[in-house]
Amino acid sequence: MEATLATENQEMIAQMVRDFGQQHIKPHFMRWDESQEFPRKVFRQLGELGLMGVLVPEQYGGAGFGYQEYVTAIAELSKLDGSIGLSMAAHNSLCTGHILQHASEAQKLCYLPRLASGEWLGAWGLTEPNTGSDAGNMRTTAVRDGNDYVLNGAKNFITHGKSGDVAVVIARTGEVGDSHGMTAFIVERGTPGFAAGRKVDKLGMRASETTEMIFTDCRVPAENVIGEVGEGFVQSLKVLDGGRISIAALSLGIAQGAYEAALQYSKERQQFNQPISKFQGIAFKLADMATEIEASSLLTYRAAALKDAGHSVNQESAMAKLYASETAVRVANEGVQIFGGYGYTKDYPAEKYYRDAKLCTIGEGTSEIQKLVIARTLLK
């Protein structure tokens, strides 16, 4: 199912991801989910395929593609395993994306080649234990001391907070609540005072690592500031505009995977001497699922096309993320229902899609925050 006419590049990427997934993801994904194993090796392999620097220009070692190809890659990965899609998306659009969009030329040359190759894994720290949607009230501070900034505080729900080789961290350099009182820093793993905290035990996306990041008198050179002092929060909002497209793509892939599994099962499962797909109750569920997925795809690829064309996508990315993520939850829910009793077991993939889908309505801005963003743009 594809709402847009795929380009040759998109078809090539989709096939490449499917081939890779059959060999390197499908045989292992349930074991990774059960044990919460983070398969670091997979991301080095994805780097070799160019999928860890999809949007990074070739001059910095990236694939040099646009958001259309990026959406295709995330959706295809997420059909197989939402955890892999999530980690790939977080690496690309948050850490790597922040450096690509806002860092100096020297910083780009230093970090982007290693991130784009998959040699290094990226983390991005905005959320804190007491500030989720209310990021302006963050408590992590960065105080200037000579040629360094000293960071103190904790970040929460950070993808690759333990395994990431480098993190972009937003810390407060001004007053609480001041949107120009926060600054973005590049912090390398191994910097004294920078440690991983508790790993989060999650409902779904269990093979994507989520941990705390803790800073205790962590000294970061002033040259590691991204852009201007005080611009970290404003930069983050721009990064999240693109990030919402990636979560929409993640949602789209999970919904497509859940739908395709349910469709196939409904044709094979016999009740009353016929496939259950022959019953209108099931057929109508499939019709609703397919229609909502198509609408999600159109919204997501439209936001991607506008982003590629250099337009502001504040409203479009929020709409795509809101609709696609809520669709993923509805489709995964109906998928379990179509599988019936088997949908509640780990013998079939329906329950995993169901667990994984829910994060999409929460991560990188809840559905409620997306509605707030959309409403603000409408009422300007």
Side-chain angles (χ1 to χ4, degrees), residues 57-70:
E58 290 177 30
Q59 72 199 75
Y60 304 117
F65 286 129
Y67 270 81
Q68 303 266 30
E69 292 87 358
Y70 182 42

Side-chain angles (χ1 to χ4, degrees), residues 218-232:
C218 177
R219 298 188 81 87
V220 178
E223 67 199 40
N224 284 29
V225 169
I226 299 179
E228 298 297 320
V229 171
E231 291 300 307

Side-chain angles (χ1 to χ4, degrees), residues 134-374:
D134 183 18
N137 268 319
M138 69 173 56
R139 293 291 181 260
T140 299
T141 58
V143 178
R144 183 82 189 232
D145 181 27
N147 292 325
D148 297 331
Y149 279 86
V150 181
L151 272 63
N152 279 287
K155 297 293 179 179
N156 201 20
F157 296 131
I158 307 304
T159 305
H160 315 140
K162 180 181 178 185
S163 295
D165 299 281
V166 62
V168 172
V169 181
I170 321 302
R172 190 162 56 75
T173 47
E175 295 303 310
V176 174
D178 177 8
S179 62
H180 292 280
M182 288 160 275
T183 302
F185 298 87
I186 298 173
V187 188
E188 292 186 29
R189 181 71 56 193
T191 303
F194 173 27
R198 186 179 68 92
K199 183 175 176 178
V200 183
D201 188 3
K202 306 193 299 287
L203 169 72
M205 304 288 199
R206 288 165 63 82
S208 177
E209 177 190 277
T210 309
T211 73
E212 296 172 318
M213 292 194 304
I214 298 168
F215 301 92
T216 311
D217 295 331
C218 177
R219 298 188 81 87
V220 178
E223 67 199 40
N224 284 29
V225 169
I226 299 179
E228 298 297 320
V229 171
E231 291 300 307
F233 185 63
V234 178
Q235 292 170 6
S236 297
L237 294 179
K238 290 176 182 167
V239 169
L240 286 169
D241 271 355
R244 288 188 190 116
I245 296 174
S246 67
I247 301 298
L250 175 70
S251 307
L252 179 61
I254 290 171
Q256 286 173 329
Y259 164 77
E260 287 170 14
L263 178 66
Q264 184 182 341
Y265 182 80
S266 73
K267 292 175 179 175
E268 295 166 357
R269 173 69 167 166
Q270 297 265 335
Q271 291 288 273
F272 306 103
N273 302 316
Q274 60 179 328
I276 62 171
S277 59
K278 296 284 187 189
F279 296 106
Q280 195 179 65
I282 300 298
F284 278 15
K285 285 186 191 299
L286 293 166
D288 284 339
M289 291 157 84
T291 303
E292 291 190 12
I293 289 169
E294 195 74 2
S296 299
S297 185
L298 285 163
L299 281 166
T300 304
Y301 279 101
R302 178 171 180 268
L306 288 167
K307 182 80 174 163
D308 283 338
H311 295 288
S312 167
V313 291
N314 190 239
Q315 177 180 304
E316 289 80 6
S317 65
M319 284 180 168
K321 198 250 185 213
L322 171 65
Y323 191 82
S325 64
E326 294 291 345
T327 291
V329 171
R330 285 192 295 270
V331 168
N333 182 46
E334 290 288 38
V336 172
Q337 196 69 20
I338 288 169
F339 274 88
Y342 291 111
Y344 207 68
T345 72
K346 291 188 181 287
D347 298 334
Y348 290 88
E351 63 84 30
K352 185 176 182 297
Y353 288 119
Y354 183 72
R355 289 185 289 108
D356 287 348
K358 189 57 201 166
L359 178 77
C360 299
T361 69
I362 299 168
E364 291 194 39
T366 62
S367 290
E368 292 72 23
I369 290 292
Q370 305 313 314
K371 290 179 183 179
L372 195 68
V373 169
I374 296 163

Side-chain angles (χ1 to χ4, degrees), residues 59-175:
Q59 72 199 75
Y60 304 117
F65 286 129
Y67 270 81
Q68 303 266 30
E69 292 87 358
Y70 182 42
V71 165
T72 301
I74 296 170
E76 286 294 335
L77 275 175
S78 306
K79 268 193 212 179
L80 290 158
D81 185 358
S83 294
I84 305 300
L86 173 64
S87 272
M88 177 269 202
H91 168 92
N92 272 280
S93 63
L94 297 179
C95 178
T96 307
H98 199 133
I99 292 170
L100 178 63
Q101 290 175 55
H102 300 291
S104 68
E105 188 63 20
Q107 289 168 336
K108 288 179 187 178
L109 287 167
C110 178
Y111 294 103
L112 289 178
R114 285 181 281 188
L115 288 164
S117 69
E119 177 197 343
W120 276 26
L121 194 66
W124 191 74
L126 178 67
T127 302
E128 296 185 0
N130 295 312
T131 59
S133 301
D134 183 18
N137 268 319
M138 69 173 56
R139 293 291 181 260
T140 299
T141 58
V143 178
R144 183 82 189 232
D145 181 27
N147 292 325
D148 297 331
Y149 279 86
V150 181
L151 272 63
N152 279 287
K155 297 293 179 179
N156 201 20
F157 296 131
I158 307 304
T159 305
H160 315 140
K162 180 181 178 185
S163 295
D165 299 281
V166 62
V168 172
V169 181
I170 321 302
R172 190 162 56 75
T173 47
E175 295 303 310

Side-chain angles (χ1 to χ4, degrees), residues 32-52:
W32 294 337
D33 182 77
E34 286 289 318
S35 64
Q36 303 193 61
E37 178 186 340
F38 176 60
R40 177 66 180 89
K41 180 185 171 188
V42 167
F43 297 96
R44 290 198 183 91
Q45 293 169 322
L46 288 173
E48 289 165 16
L49 297 179
L51 295 177
M52 297 300 273

